[in-house]
C-alpha cells in the first residue's frame, strides 16, 4: 500500500484467455469514510482507473502482461517479467513513480552469461535497506519461461540500478506461485508454490 491505497497492474480480463491481458493500472482506496458523509459500501466506489504517462517516448508504458510480480520500494512500484499476450515469458523491469503517475523502463541485465531473466509466475519481494549496498533490493526467485522452471535467485539494486546474481547452496527446488517476504532485518522467507505435478508446503529462510 502507498498513501492509503493499493495498486494493481495488468492481468487477464477474461479468465483462461491469455490474449485478454491488459496494461491497465487500478487504485483501491483504503482511506476511511469521512464522518458525516454518506457511506457507499460497494467495492466499485473504491476502485478507480489511473491515467499514467511514460517518462519518455523511449520508455512509454509497460506492455500488457499477466503472472508478473509487483513490489513497492519507497514511492515506486516495480513491475518485473510476466507472460505476454501470446504466452511468452518477459524479462523487462519497470518503475512507476506513484506521486507523478509516470512509468520508466529500468536497465536490463548486463551479464547475460549469468542466465536468462525471462520468466513468469516467479516470486519477488523487497528487502529494505539491504546491507549489500544500503539500498532496497528486489529479490526474485524461480518462476518459469514456459519450458522449464528456474531455481535461481536474483536481486535488483534499486539504488544502483543493477542486477545481482546470487550463488546459494542448499536452495529450494524450483517452483511457481510461491510466496516470499523479507523482514526489516534482511531475513527472507519463502513458502509453498508448485510445479506441474507437485504442490509444496515447505518453509525456507535465507539470511
Amino acid at each position: 500500500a502507498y498513501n492509503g491505497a493499493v495498486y494493481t497492474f495488468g492481468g487477464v480480463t477474461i479468465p483462461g484467455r491469455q490474449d485478454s491481458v491488459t496494461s491497465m493500472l487500478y487504485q483501491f482506496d483504503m482511506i476511511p469514510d469521512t464522518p458525516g458523509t454518506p457511506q457507499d459500501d460497494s467495492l466499485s466506489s473504491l476502485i478507480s482507473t489511473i491515467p499514467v504517462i511514460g517518462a519518455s517516448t523511449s520508455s512509454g508504458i509497460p506492455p500488457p502482461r499477466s503472472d508478473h510480480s509487483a513490489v513497492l520500494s519507497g514511492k515506486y512500484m516495480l513491475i518485473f517479467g510476466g507472460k505476454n499476450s501470446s504466452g511468452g515469458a518477459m524479462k523487462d523491469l519497470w518503475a512507476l513513480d506513484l506521486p507523478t503517475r509516470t512509468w520508466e523502463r529500468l536497465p536490463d541485465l548486463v551479464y547475460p552469461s549469468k542466465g536468462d531473466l525471462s520468466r513468469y509466475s516467479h516470486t519477488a519481494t523487497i528487502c529494505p535497506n539491504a546491507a549489500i549496498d544500503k539500498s532496497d533490493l528486489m529479490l526474485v526467485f524461480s518462476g518459469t519461461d514456459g519450458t522449464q522452471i528456474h531455481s535461481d535467485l536474483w536481486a535488483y539494486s534499486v539504488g544502483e540500478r543493477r542486477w545481482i546474481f546470487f550463488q546459494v547452496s542448499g536452495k529450494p527446488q524450483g517452483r511457481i506461485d510461491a510466496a516470499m517476504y523479507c523482514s526489516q532485518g534482511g531475513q527472507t522467507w519463502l513458502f509453498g508454490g508448485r510445479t506441474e505435478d507437485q504442490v509444496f508446503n515447505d518453509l525456507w529462510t535465507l539470511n
Side-chain angles (χ1 to χ4, degrees):
Y2 178 80
N3 281 357
V6 173
Y7 297 84
T8 63
F9 170 81
V12 294
T13 57
I14 304 175
R17 287 277 303 274
Q18 190 59 34
D19 59 356
S20 72
V21 291
T22 179
S23 57
M24 295 296 292
L25 177 71
Y26 293 93
Q27 173 181 313
F28 182 86
D29 293 314
M30 300 187 297
I31 301 174
D33 294 307
T34 303
T37 60
Q39 183 174 353
D40 185 348
D41 292 327
S42 65
L43 285 176
S44 60
S45 69
L46 302 175
I47 301 175
S48 56
T49 304
I50 307 300
V52 293
I53 59 174
S56 67
T57 54
S58 61
S59 291
I61 294 174
R65 68 194 65 205
S66 68
D67 302 277
H68 51 283
S69 59
V71 297
L72 185 67
S73 174
K75 66 174 184 175
Y76 297 101
M77 182 170 71
L78 303 179
I79 300 292
F80 170 67
K83 185 192 297 185
N84 62 25
S85 59
S86 60
M90 309 174 77
K91 60 179 178 181
D92 50 343
L93 174 62
W94 294 76
L96 174 65
D97 185 316
L98 290 169
T100 64
R101 311 283 169 80
T102 303
W103 284 107
E104 179 186 3
R105 182 166 179 174
L106 300 176
D108 289 330
L109 179 68
V110 295
Y111 302 108
S113 61
K114 294 291 186 181
D116 188 359
L117 280 170
S118 300
R119 66 194 63 208
Y120 56 86
S121 299
H122 52 280
T123 182
T125 189
I126 281 287
C127 282
N129 300 314
I132 191 170
D133 64 357
K134 305 303 181 184
S135 70
D136 285 0
L137 284 182
M138 179 183 70
L139 295 181
V140 175
F141 175 71
S142 202
T144 179
D145 60 9
T147 59
Q148 64 175 334
I149 294 180
H150 302 289
S151 59
D152 50 356
L153 177 65
W154 293 85
Y156 182 81
S157 170
V158 178
E160 296 186 0
R161 293 196 166 198
R162 66 185 180 97
W163 283 98
I164 304 166
F165 176 73
F166 282 106
Q167 187 68 47
V168 294
S169 59
K171 60 186 176 183
Q173 180 179 336
R175 60 195 66 195
I176 61 174
D177 301 331
M180 187 162 62
Y181 170 75
C182 185
S183 68
Q184 287 286 341
Q187 190 169 29
T188 302
W189 301 86
L190 176 77
F191 175 73
R194 63 183 179 89
T195 62
E196 289 186 357
D197 54 7
Q198 186 176 4
V199 176
F200 299 101
N201 64 354
D202 50 350
L203 178 65
W204 294 76
T205 183
L206 174 69
N207 293 314

